[in-house]
Amino acid sequence: MAITESDLSGLRDGNVVTTSGDKIGSIGQIYLDDQTGSPSFVTANTGLFGTSQSFVPLQGASVRDGDVVVDYDKDTVKNAPRIDDDGKLSPEEEDRLYEYYGLGGGTTRTTGDYDRTDDAYATTGGVTTDATTGAAYDSGANYDAGADRTTDIDAGTVGRDTSGRTTDDAMTRSEERLNVDTQASEVGRARLRKYVTTENVQQTVPVQREEVRVEREPITDANVGDATSGPDISEEEHEVILREERPVVEKEAVPVERVRLDTDTVTDEVTVSDEVRKEQIDTDVDVDRGRTDR
């Protein structure tokens, strides 16, 4: 079902979403067709902290749970032509938007900017009538005299204006507020890298070796038998093998520790500043206290 003007009052805090429910941005303003009075475009607050305004056609859009559902994905909307959200669209700007979204010509084309003046409308019984076409418009749809042809979703109740057609006994004061959120982004990477180095290690090891020692013993009754067991005179050789220890080095790779990367979350405070607008209301009392009725 197409969006009608009766749907606009419920969209004050809504978002522009895709058919799958993904949020594109919060609703900025609804632009109405200058000839039919039907909603034709919606602006979505996109970019960091909603600082950019992207125009989206409302052809085929619908309202669901206070949100405007459009048949475009987020990237398509964010890459739409940049047009100032100044409350009106020129025919050239409208053509650029319709051409970008592949909608052919502008089915809501007007012959000029989206302005309405008291010359073209007359109010009778709470219904505003186009003096040229005879089409009737609800006077509660924010058709302010001389104002740009847009409906501000955040405007709420319209204050009493003695020169306008939508009046009551109170004036609403509004102000902008900063809605600050956070977004995680990649700022760097940490890696573990293993490489091989060489160092000199010294270790002292005790070693043993054999040395020759000559022992002489006199002939006694105890060893005379061994001394005379051989020939009286002869030539002989006795040999002793000498041994010594030498260091033997072997290398063995053994695990000594395990190393891994982990992250800790540290909370800092960042001050964000921006300009916000607020409405101020002054009281102007015009009383002729010097008048005397006679």
Side-chain angles (χ1 to χ4, degrees), residues 26-219:
S26 59
I27 297 175
Q29 294 199 48
I30 299 291
Y31 280 65
L32 307 179
D33 187 278
D34 195 37
Q35 294 180 347
T36 66
S38 300
S40 58
F41 284 96
V42 61
T43 60
N45 297 320
T46 58
L48 185 61
F49 304 131
T51 54
S52 299
Q53 295 280 343
S54 299
F55 281 77
V56 190
L58 290 176
Q59 292 188 25
S62 60
V63 175
R64 181 176 64 196
D65 298 330
D67 295 332
V68 175
V69 182
V70 297
D71 193 20
Y72 304 101
D73 57 38
K74 187 172 183 178
D75 289 338
T76 300
V77 174
K78 290 179 65 176
N79 293 326
R82 297 291 94 186
I83 295 176
D84 293 335
D85 184 14
D86 55 2
K88 57 186 177 181
L89 286 174
S90 68
E92 292 77 12
E93 291 173 334
E94 191 177 7
D95 282 341
R96 288 174 55 198
L97 290 171
Y98 279 118
E99 181 179 358
Y100 172 77
Y101 285 102
L103 298 178
T107 57
T108 57
R109 277 288 301 275
T110 63
T111 58
D113 293 341
Y114 290 87
D115 296 331
R116 295 199 180 260
T117 62
D118 286 335
D119 296 337
Y121 292 89
T123 302
T124 305
V127 176
T128 302
T129 303
D130 190 325
T132 303
T133 64
Y137 299 92
D138 186 354
S139 62
N142 291 348
Y143 290 85
D144 292 341
D148 293 332
R149 185 64 172 100
T150 63
T151 298
D152 191 343
I153 298 302
D154 296 329
T157 303
V158 178
R160 180 177 180 86
D161 185 354
T162 57
S163 63
R165 294 182 295 278
T166 56
T167 62
D168 56 21
D169 58 356
M171 180 179 292
T172 299
R173 188 183 69 83
S174 302
E175 66 182 26
E176 294 178 336
R177 295 182 179 178
L178 288 181
N179 295 322
V180 181
D181 200 355
T182 61
Q183 178 181 6
S185 60
E186 183 177 307
V187 295
R189 295 189 180 187
R191 298 179 182 86
L192 283 179
R193 183 170 62 90
K194 184 170 67 173
Y195 57 94
V196 178
T197 61
T198 301
E199 63 179 359
N200 188 26
V201 177
Q202 293 183 349
Q203 185 174 344
T204 302
V205 179
V207 294
Q208 294 180 342
R209 60 185 176 84
E210 295 178 342
E211 294 182 349
V212 174
R213 183 179 69 252
V214 178
E215 295 183 358
R216 300 175 184 273
E217 59 182 21
I219 302 300

